[in-house]
PDB file of all heavy atoms in Angstrom:
ATOM      1  N   GLY A 312      -5.278 -20.986   1.515  1.00 79.00           N
ATOM      2  CA  GLY A 312      -5.064 -22.321   0.975  1.00 79.00           C
ATOM      3  C   GLY A 312      -6.040 -23.342   1.526  1.00 79.00           C
ATOM      4  O   GLY A 312      -6.078 -23.586   2.736  1.00 79.00           O
ATOM      5  N   HIS A 313      -6.845 -23.955   0.640  1.00 91.00           N
ATOM      6  CA  HIS A 313      -7.761 -25.006   1.071  1.00 91.00           C
ATOM      7  C   HIS A 313      -8.219 -25.792  -0.155  1.00 91.00           C
ATOM      8  O   HIS A 313      -8.081 -25.342  -1.300  1.00 91.00           O
ATOM      9  CB  HIS A 313      -8.972 -24.435   1.803  1.00 91.00           C
ATOM     10  CG  HIS A 313      -9.707 -25.447   2.636  1.00 91.00           C
ATOM     11  ND1 HIS A 313      -9.144 -26.066   3.723  1.00 91.00           N
ATOM     12  CD2 HIS A 313     -10.953 -25.967   2.516  1.00 91.00           C
ATOM     13  CE1 HIS A 313     -10.011 -26.913   4.249  1.00 91.00           C
ATOM     14  NE2 HIS A 313     -11.108 -26.880   3.529  1.00 91.00           N
ATOM     15  N   MET A 314      -8.793 -26.988   0.088  1.00 92.00           N
ATOM     16  CA  MET A 314      -9.272 -27.848  -0.977  1.00 92.00           C
ATOM     17  C   MET A 314     -10.647 -28.385  -0.578  1.00 92.00           C
ATOM     18  O   MET A 314     -10.848 -28.813   0.559  1.00 92.00           O
ATOM     19  CB  MET A 314      -8.317 -29.016  -1.193  1.00 92.00           C
ATOM     20  CG  MET A 314      -8.561 -29.772  -2.474  1.00 92.00           C
ATOM     21  SD  MET A 314      -7.611 -29.140  -3.848  1.00 92.00           S
ATOM     22  CE  MET A 314      -5.975 -29.720  -3.407  1.00 92.00           C
ATOM     23  N   TYR A 315     -11.588 -28.344  -1.535  1.00 95.00           N
ATOM     24  CA  TYR A 315     -12.922 -28.898  -1.323  1.00 95.00           C
ATOM     25  C   TYR A 315     -13.196 -29.967  -2.377  1.00 95.00           C
ATOM     26  O   TYR A 315     -12.781 -29.838  -3.543  1.00 95.00           O
ATOM     27  CB  TYR A 315     -14.002 -27.815  -1.442  1.00 95.00           C
ATOM     28  CG  TYR A 315     -14.097 -26.891  -0.264  1.00 95.00           C
ATOM     29  CD1 TYR A 315     -13.688 -25.566  -0.352  1.00 95.00           C
ATOM     30  CD2 TYR A 315     -14.625 -27.321   0.946  1.00 95.00           C
ATOM     31  CE1 TYR A 315     -13.788 -24.703   0.723  1.00 95.00           C
ATOM     32  CE2 TYR A 315     -14.731 -26.468   2.024  1.00 95.00           C
ATOM     33  CZ  TYR A 315     -14.314 -25.163   1.914  1.00 95.00           C
ATOM     34  OH  TYR A 315     -14.421 -24.305   2.989  1.00 95.00           O
ATOM     35  N   LEU A 316     -13.925 -31.012  -1.971  1.00 96.00           N
ATOM     36  CA  LEU A 316     -14.426 -32.028  -2.897  1.00 96.00           C
ATOM     37  C   LEU A 316     -15.883 -31.705  -3.216  1.00 96.00           C
ATOM     38  O   LEU A 316     -16.699 -31.527  -2.306  1.00 96.00           O
ATOM     39  CB  LEU A 316     -14.327 -33.423  -2.285  1.00 96.00           C
ATOM     40  CG  LEU A 316     -12.917 -34.012  -2.183  1.00 96.00           C
ATOM     41  CD1 LEU A 316     -12.929 -35.246  -1.292  1.00 96.00           C
ATOM     42  CD2 LEU A 316     -12.375 -34.373  -3.555  1.00 96.00           C
ATOM     43  N   VAL A 317     -16.219 -31.636  -4.530  1.00 97.00           N
ATOM     44  CA  VAL A 317     -17.560 -31.283  -4.971  1.00 97.00           C
ATOM     45  C   VAL A 317     -18.000 -32.291  -6.023  1.00 97.00           C
ATOM     46  O   VAL A 317     -17.243 -32.608  -6.946  1.00 97.00           O
ATOM     47  CB  VAL A 317     -17.616 -29.851  -5.546  1.00 97.00           C
ATOM     48  CG1 VAL A 317     -19.037 -29.494  -5.970  1.00 97.00           C
ATOM     49  CG2 VAL A 317     -17.109 -28.848  -4.526  1.00 97.00           C
ATOM     50  N   ASP A 318     -19.221 -32.786  -5.896  1.00 96.00           N
ATOM     51  CA  ASP A 318     -19.757 -33.754  -6.844  1.00 96.00           C
ATOM     52  C   ASP A 318     -20.468 -33.019  -7.979  1.00 96.00           C
ATOM     53  O   ASP A 318     -21.664 -33.196  -8.210  1.00 96.00           O
ATOM     54  CB  ASP A 318     -20.718 -34.704  -6.120  1.00 96.00           C
ATOM     55  CG  ASP A 318     -21.138 -35.879  -6.993  1.00 96.00           C
ATOM     56  OD1 ASP A 318     -20.446 -36.139  -7.991  1.00 96.00           O
ATOM     57  OD2 ASP A 318     -22.155 -36.523  -6.677  1.00 96.00           O
ATOM     58  N   ARG A 319     -19.717 -32.163  -8.687  1.00 94.00           N
ATOM     59  CA  ARG A 319     -20.251 -31.412  -9.816  1.00 94.00           C
ATOM     60  C   ARG A 319     -19.165 -31.248 -10.875  1.00 94.00           C
ATOM     61  O   ARG A 319     -17.966 -31.280 -10.565  1.00 94.00           O
ATOM     62  CB  ARG A 319     -20.735 -30.018  -9.404  1.00 94.00           C
ATOM     63  CG  ARG A 319     -21.923 -29.997  -8.480  1.00 94.00           C
ATOM     64  CD  ARG A 319     -22.405 -28.567  -8.291  1.00 94.00           C
ATOM     65  NE  ARG A 319     -23.448 -28.444  -7.271  1.00 94.00           N
ATOM     66  CZ  ARG A 319     -24.030 -27.302  -6.946  1.00 94.00           C
ATOM     67  NH1 ARG A 319     -23.689 -26.183  -7.552  1.00 94.00           N
ATOM     68  NH2 ARG A 319     -24.968 -27.269  -6.006  1.00 94.00           N
ATOM     69  N   ALA A 320     -19.600 -31.036 -12.117  1.00 93.00           N
ATOM     70  CA  ALA A 320     -18.667 -30.706 -13.188  1.00 93.00           C
ATOM     71  C   ALA A 320     -18.177 -29.276 -13.000  1.00 93.00           C
ATOM     72  O   ALA A 320     -18.862 -28.449 -12.372  1.00 93.00           O
ATOM     73  CB  ALA A 320     -19.350 -30.861 -14.541  1.00 93.00           C
ATOM     74  N   PRO A 321     -16.996 -28.941 -13.533  1.00 93.00           N
ATOM     75  CA  PRO A 321     -16.478 -27.574 -13.353  1.00 93.00           C
ATOM     76  C   PRO A 321     -17.430 -26.493 -13.840  1.00 93.00           C
ATOM     77  O   PRO A 321     -17.452 -25.398 -13.279  1.00 93.00           O
ATOM     78  CB  PRO A 321     -15.176 -27.599 -14.166  1.00 93.00           C
ATOM     79  CG  PRO A 321     -14.754 -29.032 -14.157  1.00 93.00           C
ATOM     80  CD  PRO A 321     -16.014 -29.829 -14.196  1.00 93.00           C
ATOM     81  N   SER A 322     -18.228 -26.772 -14.863  1.00 91.00           N
ATOM     82  CA  SER A 322     -19.143 -25.750 -15.364  1.00 91.00           C
ATOM     83  C   SER A 322     -20.238 -25.400 -14.360  1.00 91.00           C
ATOM     84  O   SER A 322     -20.857 -24.346 -14.469  1.00 91.00           O
ATOM     85  CB  SER A 322     -19.785 -26.231 -16.675  1.00 91.00           C
ATOM     86  OG  SER A 322     -20.491 -27.459 -16.463  1.00 91.00           O
ATOM     87  N   GLY A 323     -20.497 -26.256 -13.402  1.00 93.00           N
ATOM     88  CA  GLY A 323     -21.532 -25.999 -12.414  1.00 93.00           C
ATOM     89  C   GLY A 323     -21.003 -25.543 -11.073  1.00 93.00           C
ATOM     90  O   GLY A 323     -21.753 -25.532 -10.099  1.00 93.00           O
ATOM     91  N   VAL A 324     -19.715 -25.171 -10.999  1.00 96.00           N
ATOM     92  CA  VAL A 324     -19.098 -24.744  -9.739  1.00 96.00           C
ATOM     93  C   VAL A 324     -18.747 -23.267  -9.841  1.00 96.00           C
ATOM     94  O   VAL A 324     -18.135 -22.828 -10.829  1.00 96.00           O
ATOM     95  CB  VAL A 324     -17.840 -25.576  -9.431  1.00 96.00           C
ATOM     96  CG1 VAL A 324     -17.184 -25.095  -8.144  1.00 96.00           C
ATOM     97  CG2 VAL A 324     -18.202 -27.047  -9.317  1.00 96.00           C
ATOM     98  N   ALA A 325     -19.143 -22.480  -8.850  1.00 95.00           N
ATOM     99  CA  ALA A 325     -18.877 -21.048  -8.829  1.00 95.00           C
ATOM    100  C   ALA A 325     -17.396 -20.784  -8.565  1.00 95.00           C
ATOM    101  O   ALA A 325     -16.669 -21.660  -8.078  1.00 95.00           O
ATOM    102  CB  ALA A 325     -19.734 -20.378  -7.758  1.00 95.00           C
ATOM    103  N   PRO A 326     -16.912 -19.582  -8.861  1.00 93.00           N
ATOM    104  CA  PRO A 326     -15.511 -19.245  -8.568  1.00 93.00           C
ATOM    105  C   PRO A 326     -15.217 -19.339  -7.077  1.00 93.00           C
ATOM    106  O   PRO A 326     -16.128 -19.312  -6.245  1.00 93.00           O
ATOM    107  CB  PRO A 326     -15.389 -17.802  -9.082  1.00 93.00           C
ATOM    108  CG  PRO A 326     -16.510 -17.631 -10.057  1.00 93.00           C
ATOM    109  CD  PRO A 326     -17.610 -18.500  -9.575  1.00 93.00           C
ATOM    110  N   PRO A 327     -13.948 -19.463  -6.697  1.00 91.00           N
ATOM    111  CA  PRO A 327     -13.602 -19.539  -5.270  1.00 91.00           C
ATOM    112  C   PRO A 327     -14.082 -18.292  -4.536  1.00 91.00           C
ATOM    113  O   PRO A 327     -13.949 -17.174  -5.035  1.00 91.00           O
ATOM    114  CB  PRO A 327     -12.071 -19.643  -5.276  1.00 91.00           C
ATOM    115  CG  PRO A 327     -11.721 -20.121  -6.642  1.00 91.00           C
ATOM    116  CD  PRO A 327     -12.750 -19.565  -7.556  1.00 91.00           C
ATOM    117  N   PRO A 328     -14.654 -18.459  -3.342  1.00 91.00           N
ATOM    118  CA  PRO A 328     -15.142 -17.308  -2.591  1.00 91.00           C
ATOM    119  C   PRO A 328     -14.019 -16.700  -1.761  1.00 91.00           C
ATOM    120  O   PRO A 328     -12.945 -17.291  -1.596  1.00 91.00           O
ATOM    121  CB  PRO A 328     -16.212 -17.925  -1.691  1.00 91.00           C
ATOM    122  CG  PRO A 328     -15.661 -19.287  -1.392  1.00 91.00           C
ATOM    123  CD  PRO A 328     -14.940 -19.731  -2.629  1.00 91.00           C
TER     124      PRO A 328
END
Side-chain angles (χ1 to χ4, degrees):
H313 198 64
M314 193 91 73
Y315 285 109
L316 287 168
V317 181
D318 189 18
R319 294 187 187 181
S322 59
V324 178

